[in-house]
Amino acid sequence: MKTGAVVVAAGHKSSLSTFSPMLPVGDSTVIRRIIITLKRSGVDPVVVVTGKNGDEVEKHIAGLRVICLRNKEYDHTQMYNSICMGLNYIEDLCDRVFILPAKFPLFLPQTIKRMLESDATVVCPVFEGRRGHPVLVSSNVIGKLLSYKGDRGLRGAVRQVDVDNCAEEIAVEDQGIIFSVETDEDCSRGDLKNEQLDIYPQIQLTLERDEGFFGPSVAQFLSLIDHTGSMQTACRQMHMSYTKGWKILKAAERELGYPLLITQSGGAEGGSSQLTPKAKDFLDRFLKMEKELMEDAQRLYQKYFYVEDEAGK
């Protein structure tokens, strides 16, 4: 079962002056920590909806292999509008979706794992009687969430879906699900200054002949083209020139011996692009192999770095 996520980092109007996604949290930032925790828990794709300071935020997370959508109306719309933008996009890409605003960076991987074990239509984590973030929803109720017209945002939309008591509350020992980081004062807390992400093995798969021609960045590029239908949009999200994008594609095509894209010129975005059937198959195989390698890397990391010694240290 494929699980994705929608993270809202659009900077909708608030009484707070600080734009929270870029605030520091220990050795990382709010938005990067959220994405890293989700990704390390096997959540993919991760869709980030940006708005205020969109270029800065997207550049900041460009290397994390996420999909960025830009809400240009962020300054006079509600957060739920950005959530709906992300849900509209991701609805057909996965079976379940985590939803959260980019101000809850401290939820634990264990919480994500426990939520993923549930097969409920809606899953809400609860700490000491309080519901928190992220919320996990099945893709088959996204249509109902998108139809919500009330003024209570995600909470109201979930209640609309939960008329048949289909939501499951999972009690967790994780204060991070209710602790938001929105101001400089929040970041100045002593326990946050020293907050560090757990060490985690990161394995990069690169296919080579004389030199490497297909690796994580090419896979991300093709995935973005596949998701957005636009090479120009994919280049923009990866903060690289259109010319560089073509060079990357041509180098991969030369080594593989077949075309990767079907392009059509014209339109506001410079035309449309889609992957050829062979390209889609190759990308799918690459991503599956990469996922298995990461699972093996985590197992080996546990074996070699988390083995208890005989003294029980």
Side-chain angles (χ1 to χ4, degrees):
M1 186 175 291
K2 192 173 181 63
T3 305
V6 172
V7 182
V8 178
H12 291 274
K13 282 187 176 180
S14 168
S15 59
L16 302 168
S17 59
T18 307
F19 185 48
S20 59
M22 301 292 290
L23 288 173
V25 176
D27 56 351
S28 188
T29 60
V30 169
I31 185 63
R32 285 185 63 88
R33 187 182 178 97
I34 289 171
I35 295 169
I36 290 169
T37 301
L38 289 170
K39 289 281 219 174
R40 289 180 177 177
S41 301
V43 178
D44 188 70
V46 175
V47 174
V48 180
V49 183
T50 66
K52 183 179 180 181
N53 300 339
D55 287 339
E56 180 184 359
V57 175
E58 290 172 17
K59 185 174 182 179
H60 181 61
I61 60 178
L64 295 179
R65 296 175 72 173
V66 300
I67 301 165
C68 292
L69 306 178
R70 185 76 64 89
N71 182 358
K72 297 179 180 179
E73 311 296 326
Y74 73 90
D75 57 343
H76 55 271
T77 57
Q78 301 299 314
M79 183 184 295
Y80 195 64
N81 295 94
S82 287
I83 290 176
C84 289
M85 178 183 288
L87 290 177
N88 263 313
Y89 182 89
I90 205 172
E91 183 175 8
D92 297 325
L93 298 181
C94 49
D95 304 296
R96 300 180 295 180
V97 183
F98 282 104
I99 307 171
L100 74 158
K103 59 180 181 179
F104 294 93
L106 300 178
F107 62 89
L108 300 173
Q110 299 93 302
T111 294
I112 298 299
K113 182 178 179 180
R114 286 203 57 197
M115 294 175 71
L116 288 173
E117 291 171 351
S118 171
D119 58 2
T121 302
V122 179
V123 184
C124 302
V126 177
F127 176 75
E128 296 184 350
R130 293 177 58 187
R131 283 188 175 187
H133 293 279
V135 173
L136 179 62
V137 302
S138 172
S139 60
N140 59 24
V141 300
I142 287 180
K144 291 183 179 180
L145 294 175
L146 293 174
S147 70
Y148 177 69
K149 303 301 181 184
D151 58 1
R152 299 193 64 193
L154 180 60
R155 184 188 299 271
V158 169
R159 288 187 181 279
Q160 174 178 276
V161 169
D162 195 26
V163 291
D164 298 321
N165 296 317
C166 59
E168 178 182 358
E169 292 187 342
I170 295 182
V172 295
E173 294 299 318
D174 181 3
Q175 189 176 3
I177 69 167
I178 61 172
F179 184 81
S180 63
V181 177
E182 303 180 73
T183 66
D184 292 326
E185 288 71 24
D186 293 333
C187 298
S188 65
R189 280 181 35 166
D191 55 342
L192 284 189
K193 285 184 177 180
N194 299 320
E195 183 72 28
Q196 287 186 311
L197 287 162
D198 291 337
I199 296 175
Y200 192 88
Q202 183 64 44
I203 305 299
Q204 289 198 345
L205 170 62
T206 302
L207 303 180
E208 300 185 358
R209 286 188 190 276
D210 181 55
E211 294 182 349
F213 68 91
F214 201 103
S217 61
V218 184
Q220 181 185 9
F221 188 39
L222 291 182
S223 295
L224 286 172
I225 294 173
D226 191 35
H227 291 157
T228 64
S230 169
M231 181 176 163
Q232 186 168 322
T233 301
C235 288
R236 184 170 65 247
Q237 289 197 17
M238 292 190 68
H239 293 269
M240 67 181 179
S241 68
Y242 195 74
T243 301
K244 182 177 180 181
W246 269 118
K247 287 182 178 179
I248 289 173
L249 284 174
K250 292 304 178 184
E253 288 179 340
R254 185 168 56 251
E255 299 297 342
L256 293 173
Y258 53 79
L260 297 176
L261 286 189
I262 300 170
T263 61
Q264 183 174 344
S265 60
E269 286 291 330
S272 62
S273 302
Q274 64 183 74
L275 303 188
T276 63
K278 281 189 174 182
K280 287 179 72 73
D281 179 68
F282 186 86
L283 177 62
D284 182 61
R285 292 170 186 269
F286 180 91
L287 294 176
K288 286 179 178 178
M289 181 177 176
E290 184 181 54
K291 182 179 179 181
E292 288 189 33
L293 284 173
M294 286 303 303
E295 291 170 351
D296 284 345
Q298 180 62 22
R299 176 181 58 80
L300 291 171
Y301 182 71
Q302 294 289 327
K303 175 182 178 180
Y304 287 104
F305 291 94
Y306 279 90
V307 179
E308 293 183 357
D309 60 31
E310 295 181 357
K313 183 177 179 180

